[in-house]
Amino acid sequence: MNGFVYGDKYTPVSDIACERGRASNGAEGVEFKIESEESFVWERLRITDRRGASEIGRPIGRYDTLNIGSAHLLSEEDADEAKNQIAKELCSLTDELGIYPGKILVAGLGNEKLTADSVGPKCVSLVTVTRQLSKSGCDDLFGEEYSEISAIAPGVSQQS
């Protein structure tokens, strides 16, 4: 586990909100639950107020993590199921927020030159960007409403 030492006190540090939620489950302003879906596990964290935000160290909001195990060991069928789970979750989120059709920005963070950190940029390369269609007068190209999707893979600091 990563961590920092402050004086003689060791403080674990994680940038994954659900890991912090697991440790703080039951705290006021923090809702954490685990759901099994097919071969995978969803960890769902809701930070509902300032107390929860202070406890977790993240802003008020919704944080969902899909645990798929070792991605390189997934069968093609399981990889497809993981993609479907994420797509289903994104559709649910856009419905919940009432943003479909709307403007969506996909940000693929990571270093494409490091295998373990390349998921974000690889995902962005697979996104169908549609924002330029509405700007070019091709609004009815798909024959139905669609979201204006933009995508960016900005890289990370210390990337060479």
Side-chain angles (χ1 to χ4, degrees), residues 2-146:
N2 294 329
F4 293 106
V5 176
Y6 296 105
D8 61 349
K9 186 176 180 184
Y10 178 79
T11 305
V13 175
S14 169
D15 62 351
I16 299 176
C18 283
E19 288 180 358
R20 292 182 182 185
R22 232 180 282 132
S24 300
N25 194 17
E28 289 195 43
V30 177
E31 299 170 7
F32 180 77
K33 65 181 176 178
I34 297 176
E35 298 174 357
S36 292
E37 285 283 339
E38 306 283 328
S39 307
F40 310 111
V41 175
W42 280 101
E43 291 184 278
R44 302 184 185 281
L45 172 68
R46 303 296 179 269
I47 301 173
T48 59
D49 61 29
R50 289 180 300 153
R51 292 172 300 196
S54 177
E55 177 72 28
I56 301 294
R58 290 282 183 265
I60 294 171
R62 170 181 171 169
Y63 301 84
D64 296 315
T65 300
L66 178 63
N67 295 307
I68 62 171
S70 298
H72 68 284
L73 297 177
L74 290 179
S75 67
E76 190 171 326
E77 183 178 288
D78 282 345
D80 286 342
E81 179 56 30
K83 292 175 203 173
N84 290 335
Q85 286 289 321
I86 293 169
K88 187 170 98 176
E89 190 68 17
L90 289 171
C91 288
S92 171
L93 181 61
T94 58
D95 287 346
E96 181 182 313
L97 296 174
I99 59 172
Y100 180 82
K103 295 179 181 181
I104 298 171
L105 172 64
V106 177
L109 304 178
N111 183 346
E112 65 184 331
K113 295 178 183 175
L114 288 174
T115 302
D117 198 31
S118 65
V119 172
K122 284 181 179 178
C123 288
V124 164
S125 73
L126 299 172
V127 170
T128 302
V129 175
T130 59
R131 185 170 189 271
Q132 75 282 5
L133 298 176
S134 67
K135 303 298 179 202
S136 66
C138 298
D139 290 354
D140 59 355
L141 185 65
F142 297 116
E144 56 187 56
E145 286 187 295
Y146 62 92

